[in-house]
Amino acid sequence: MEDIQLINEHTIRISVDLTDAIHMIDEASRNVKAYAHDIVTIYEKMPAFDYTSFCFYAYDSAELFEFILGVEPRNYRSFSLDAPDSFFFTLYGGMAALYDMAKKCLHEDQSA
């Protein structure tokens, strides 16, 4: 389970594990349309990070990540993320499974 440590009033340390990736995938699969941008972005951009890290905020794809946290890291000046490789590999696999549906949702939104 995610663990958020308040280092000081401006800094937090976030730790996640495999179960958090599964929780993110479950949430994304229940709400593909709502998380379509995050799903597509994670799937398309994570290979550049060798699948073992990802900056959710660099690509404005943090809604799904923030769902598991219950806190907005943007409210702090600094935060770090500690996550095992299994978190990232599992998250990528889940996003890969949802990618076609999410891409379709984005296309439909752009056509409307």
Side-chain angles (χ1 to χ4, degrees), residues 3-77:
D3 178 37
I4 301 170
Q5 298 173 358
L6 182 64
I7 305 302
N8 61 45
E9 66 185 70
H10 304 290
T11 306
I12 58 174
R13 178 180 297 131
I14 302 166
S15 297
V16 294
D17 62 20
L18 177 64
T19 59
D20 296 306
I22 293 168
H23 192 66
M24 289 173 71
I25 294 163
D26 288 345
E27 175 64 14
S29 68
R30 283 190 297 272
N31 299 293
V32 173
K33 186 171 181 158
Y35 293 111
H37 171 75
D38 286 9
I39 294 165
V40 168
T41 302
I42 292 167
Y43 176 78
E44 290 179 351
K45 302 295 184 185
M46 194 179 276
F49 295 89
D50 294 325
Y51 308 94
T52 56
S53 62
F54 187 71
C55 184
F56 297 98
Y57 292 97
Y59 301 103
D60 193 27
S61 58
E63 280 188 53
L64 191 54
F65 176 62
E66 290 173 350
F67 169 79
I68 66 163
L69 299 180
V71 66
E72 262 195 58
R74 290 183 248 211
N75 292 337
Y76 298 88
R77 291 185 191 157

Side-chain angles (χ1 to χ4, degrees), residues 87-105:
F87 170 85
F88 293 107
F89 287 133
T90 301
L91 181 63
Y92 182 78
M95 297 304 103
L98 299 170
Y99 179 77
D100 288 337
M101 262 191 298
K103 193 80 167 170
K104 183 179 177 185
C105 289

